[in-house]
Amino acid sequence: MTTYTHPTAWAAIADHLHHLGSEVVFGLPGDDMALLGELERSDTTVVLCRDQRNAVFMATGYALAAGRPGVCVIGKGPALTNALTGVLEARSAAAPLILIADGTRLDRLGTGAFQELDQLTAIRPYVKWAARVDHADRLPGALEKAAALAVNGTPGPVYLELAEQIAAEPVTRTGPWRPAAPQRPAPDQDALAAT
């Protein structure tokens, strides 16, 4: 089985977004600018926004117009609370949206760290699925699940939180990225013919 190793978690995310065909990423990243550097090396356009709410609105509009997931990247804490109005709009519009946010380091959770917030609890009522990735080896599966859930069933927003300590760690995955196309069941042809 072929394995792929990305030098950082942000490089893995950029590669997955390229696999999804994401032409544009919207957002207002936190202090870590590594994703911007990774996206600059790809053919993905980055639209830096003035605030997180507008970034999510833009990603939602893109998703509805392009027919593919809109992607938005934000910082942590108040960045997430600023994004909630846009996430609610994405849910109401059934727009496939992938929201990626920074998260407090695993060893700092519960310590009152700078801008610490229980982001999963804050976002869960507004999204189809929310997860936090604390270990680099879990990132590929989380990215694939997020993309699949955003476009399948009733499309809608999903949330992925990246703990700060894994941002610069290498990420290894086995096999190519899985496709994230909508799976729409077809009607039974025999049942249709009988009607």
Side-chain angles (χ1 to χ4, degrees):
M1 182 171 282
T2 305
T3 61
Y4 303 85
T5 300
H6 302 281
T8 67
W10 289 121
I13 291 170
D15 187 58
H16 188 251
L17 295 178
H18 175 75
H19 161 75
L20 294 177
S22 299
E23 299 168 340
V24 183
V25 172
F26 302 88
L28 184 59
D31 295 335
D32 189 348
M33 297 290 148
L35 179 61
L36 298 181
E38 294 297 335
L39 291 173
E40 188 174 56
R41 288 186 264 289
S42 74
D43 55 357
T44 303
T45 300
V46 178
V47 177
L48 293 176
C49 304
R50 290 181 181 247
D51 71 36
Q52 297 83 3
R53 182 188 49 164
N54 289 333
V56 178
F57 282 140
M58 290 180 201
T60 298
Y62 172 84
L64 293 171
R68 66 171 55 111
V71 180
C72 184
V73 179
I74 60 172
K76 64 180 178 176
L80 178 72
T81 60
N82 287 344
L84 290 178
T85 302
V87 174
L88 178 60
E89 178 62 27
R91 187 182 79 182
S92 298
L97 173 77
I98 301 170
L99 178 61
I100 302 171
D102 289 333
T104 301
R105 295 179 58 87
L106 185 58
D107 61 348
R108 299 262 176 105
L109 285 177
T111 66
F114 180 66
Q115 295 187 335
E116 182 183 1
L117 172 71
D118 182 353
Q119 295 175 191
L120 289 175
T121 298
I123 193 88
R124 273 197 179 111
Y126 303 96
V127 296
K128 293 178 66 175
W129 179 74
R132 178 181 157 95
V133 180
D134 287 323
H135 304 283
D137 61 337
R138 296 188 179 146
L139 182 60
L143 287 167
E144 290 177 331
K145 184 173 183 175
L149 288 172
V151 300
N152 281 292
T154 301
V158 295
Y159 172 77
L160 194 59
E161 183 176 322
L162 185 69
E164 286 173 316
Q165 82 275 359
I166 72 165
E169 291 180 10
V171 173
T172 300
R173 61 184 167 86
T174 55
W177 293 112
R178 284 187 260 157
Q183 304 296 313
R184 305 286 186 249
D188 182 292
Q189 295 302 318
D190 293 333
L192 288 176
T195 57

